[in-house]
Amino acid sequence: MVIQKMEQNESMVKRGWWLILLLAGAIIAPHVISDFYLVILIEALIMSLFALSFNLLFGYMGQLSFGQAAFYGLGGYTVAMLITKVNFNFWLSLLAGVGVAGFVGLIVGFFCVRLRGIYFAVLTLAFGQLLFVIIYKWHDFTGGDDGIQGVFPPGILKIPIVYYYFVLLVFIASAFILWRIVNSPFGHTLKAMRENPERTEFLGIHIARYQLITFVIAAAFAGLAGALWVPFYRSVAPFYLMWIKSGEPVMAAILGGASTFFGPVLGMFIMTFIHAYILGFTHFWPIIMGTIILIIIFALPGGILEFAKVKLKERQERMKSAKGSP
Amino acid sequence: MSFDILFNQFMSGIARASLLFLVASGLSLTFGVLRVLNFAHGSLYMLGAFVTYSIWKGLLIPVVGFYIATFLAALVMGGIGIIIEFFLLRRLYARGWPEQLLVTYALVLIITDLVKLGWGGEFLSIPRPVPFKGAVSLFGFPFPSYNFFVILLGLALVIFLWWLVYRTRIGDIIRAAAHDREMVAALGIPIPWLFTWIFVLGAMIAGLSGGVAGPYGAIALGMDIEIIVECFAVVVIGGMGSLPGTLLGSFIVGQVYAFGIMFKPELALAFIFMVMAAVLIIRPWGIFGRPER
């Protein structure tokens, strides 16, 4: 345990320099890349936040939610409806999006944390579909399958590059908060529950309560992602809540590596950029996404970051043994 | 509200329940034995419907053409089931279920696009086959006689599956494997092959129900997701992997839908999920389900 802790600290120091590098890259990026890729970059950042919220449940709590898009969509719908219907303040709308997603997450989570494994996945999926169906069919209130158009951010946020920096700021702040959560005693308790729920319960920890809190946090951050996305695209549609959408963060986590904090971000960036590239010459995106999933699962078990970690470790060990032998 | 309207609604609920059972039973069977929740089950159902359409169109045999086409489509889906189980799922049993789930999710995406590529995005329809063309009068209300065919087929499948699972040696093995896989394997029964055939049976049922769904509604993209989500509700209510549970779940979902549509059409689906939530509060593993180990 102590050794593990030391290794963690060591890797955190190592991690420091490339985080700074990434940050510098993210700040310079919009001045270097074309407008088209700036849009994609904003998409990737927002979707990465969505993926991080999902991985709090999947990677740390150990439960796969197939209904995370419902909270993402709820965040988006809250912002869209507040801005277009009652001309509400943009910043407060964002907060309201987070709040609504978190509140619905509390209700849905109340049912879902009673179950584990595949049952948890199906139940989250079913609740997600329930929310989708309500928004899809409630035409008078939500606009039904037409969605809502004309959701504009205020003032200079209409300029993509400004919106980019705004999203970047929110992303960094959110990632930092999530990072702090998973590395706090609370986060360690989560991991303990994932590894051995019975033993954790014997220690006097109320598993359902911890999981419910986590579920609400994840829902709130998914809502934040949706709330950021909708003003950028000026519109929202019911399919944002659908289970097919919920599959995207699942895929990003598996692609990048669910056992690492930034794995889902890497996965989402790869997916978003491949998506943008492929849409240039075909609209058959699902078949390509499906094929990528199959390749990743069979060729790169554990995801890219995990794969890289294992390779790196192998190399270090090789070098160690090479040094050891005369 | 008079009795005849309610009875009519009840009967259309039964027909819907029957179609749901046709699809959900394959899903439940696969889950019960393989412990794999097949997201792509609805996609196999949709593919079955499209394949049935094409065979029916190609055969041009009057009267029995539709039945032959449905049967052949079920066989085709069985073949696709072999491919999926043998080349994809079989290599994942040692890994976690999230990977299995994601593979079937990938298949949903792939099959959707394949159907789009193969048949385009249009709505297709198969006319109701003889002798179920017209409607019969139930207390003065017209009731499509094809619904009776769907109900009869559902009943036949209930009896067949009950016989298979509870009255045959294969059934003994199926139930034993669902309970303790290692022990069954230790007794010298080839588990991998059992899994393949169960998956194939599930795929064939999906194909068959897809074919049957053709004259019942429309054949269109999106029918995969529509049915699979309702099937999830069915198996969650009834208990995943339980045959009686699937039957009861189908009945409940079919009835809730039929009466929900009468009460408030736009919320019919929402009612289903509300019932599901209610069941889960009382029994988190469904009515006939077992707590997971």
Side-chain angles (χ1 to χ4, degrees), chain A residues 15-324:
Chain A
R15 203 172 269 149
W17 66 266
W18 68 257
L19 267 182
I20 291 167
L21 212 67
L22 267 182
L23 190 63
I27 290 169
I28 305 165
H31 303 285
V32 191
I33 57 177
S34 65
D35 287 354
F36 174 74
Y37 280 103
L38 177 64
V39 171
I40 308 303
L41 198 58
I42 297 173
E43 279 186 14
L45 269 179
I46 298 175
M47 289 304 282
S48 296
L49 178 57
F50 182 32
L52 279 179
S53 83
F54 162 79
N55 206 44
L56 182 64
L57 297 176
F58 184 53
Y60 292 93
M61 197 171 95
Q63 300 297 334
L64 195 163
S65 162
F66 234 99
Q68 199 65 5
F71 305 113
Y72 173 84
L74 276 178
Y77 261 94
T78 308
V79 168
M81 288 170 75
L82 283 176
I83 289 179
T84 58
K85 294 203 171 179
V86 292
N87 226 337
F88 207 58
N89 177 288
F90 173 76
W91 307 100
L92 291 177
S93 301
L94 286 188
L95 277 182
V98 176
V100 168
F103 178 70
V104 177
L106 182 69
I107 299 169
V108 172
F110 172 78
F111 295 103
C112 295
V113 297
R114 298 150 168 252
L115 300 179
R116 294 196 220 302
I118 211 156
Y119 298 84
F120 182 91
V122 175
L123 195 58
T124 47
L125 190 154
F127 272 111
Q129 283 303 113
L130 167 65
L131 294 166
F132 161 73
V133 165
I134 291 174
I135 284 187
Y136 184 73
K137 300 270 181 179
W138 201 352
H139 208 281
D140 303 337
F141 187 54
T142 63
D145 50 356
D146 297 334
I148 298 170
Q149 281 81 32
V151 189
F152 288 98
I156 55 163
L157 278 178
K158 289 192 186 74
I159 306 163
I161 196 162
V162 180
Y163 204 79
Y164 168 77
Y165 283 117
F166 168 59
V167 167
L168 183 65
L169 204 69
V170 176
F171 176 80
I172 291 170
S174 307
F176 179 71
I177 295 170
L178 284 168
W179 169 262
R180 287 300 296 266
I181 289 173
V182 300
N183 287 296
S184 67
F186 179 85
H188 290 299
T189 313
L190 274 187
K191 282 174 252 176
M193 285 178 343
R194 180 190 65 194
E195 294 308 323
N196 195 335
E198 270 143 22
R199 191 170 283 190
T200 316
E201 198 148 38
F202 291 158
L203 291 173
I205 284 160
H206 197 298
I207 290 192
R209 188 182 302 149
Y210 269 74
Q211 294 200 331
L212 184 56
I213 293 169
T214 315
F215 198 91
V216 171
I217 296 171
F221 276 104
L224 178 60
L228 286 174
W229 179 280
V230 169
F232 179 61
Y233 267 89
R234 273 71 159 156
S235 66
V236 66
F239 80 88
Y240 283 18
L241 287 89
M242 234 177 135
W243 68 289
I244 291 293
K245 186 88 183 159
S246 295
E248 288 181 21
V250 185
M251 192 187 144
I254 302 240
L255 176 64
S259 59
T260 53
F261 184 79
F262 283 109
V265 176
L266 178 69
M268 207 43 119
F269 264 80
I270 293 173
M271 268 170 66
T272 314
F273 277 88
I274 292 179
H275 179 218
Y277 178 69
I278 282 169
L279 278 190
F281 49 86
T282 173
H283 57 280
F284 287 102
W285 161 242
I287 197 167
I288 290 162
M289 179 157 143
T291 314
I292 295 173
I293 297 178
L294 293 186
I295 294 171
I296 291 296
I297 286 180
F298 286 104
L300 283 177
I304 295 171
L305 277 191
E306 184 67 27
F307 181 77
K309 254 187 182 170
V310 171
K311 285 284 159 215
L312 212 67
K313 211 172 212 172
E314 273 175 17
R315 215 185 75 181
Q316 278 170 350
E317 261 157 33
R318 254 208 317 276
M319 278 163 72
K320 241 184 241 166
S321 63
K323 256 186 231 160

Side-chain angles (χ1 to χ4, degrees), chain A residues 66 111 114-119 122-123 125-126 129-130 133 137 243-244 247 250 284 286-287 290 297-298 301, chain B residues 37 39 88 95 97-99 102-103 105-106 109 113 117 225 229 232 236 266 269-270 273 276 280-281 284 292:
Chain A
F66 234 99
F111 295 103
R114 298 150 168 252
L115 300 179
R116 294 196 220 302
I118 211 156
Y119 298 84
V122 175
L123 195 58
L125 190 154
Q129 283 303 113
L130 167 65
V133 165
K137 300 270 181 179
W243 68 289
I244 291 293
V250 185
F284 287 102
I287 197 167
I297 286 180
F298 286 104
Chain B
L37 186 67
F39 276 1
L88 299 175
R95 306 254 292 270
W97 61 266
E99 271 107 337
L102 209 60
V103 163
Y105 169 78
L109 300 175
D113 264 5
L117 277 169
I225 289 169
V229 171
F232 285 153
V236 167
E266 56 268 41
L269 271 171
F273 292 109
M276 191 188 73
L280 284 168
I281 297 173
E292 75 267 42

Side-chain angles (χ1 to χ4, degrees), chain B residues 246-258:
Chain B
T246 308
L247 189 58
L248 182 64
S250 306
F251 177 79
I252 293 173
V253 171
Q255 290 306 329
V256 168
Y257 189 87

Side-chain angles (χ1 to χ4, degrees), chain B residues 174-192:
Chain B
I174 289 173
R175 278 178 295 138
H179 192 72
D180 191 339
R181 213 180 271 181
E182 279 87 20
M183 191 48 93
V184 175
L187 291 171
I189 289 157
I191 288 285

Side-chain angles (χ1 to χ4, degrees), chain B residues 152-168:
Chain B
L152 284 178
L153 202 67
L155 279 178
L157 190 66
V158 172
I159 294 166
F160 168 73
L161 285 178
W162 174 80
W163 170 80
L164 180 76
V165 174
Y166 295 101
R167 282 290 176 273
T168 62

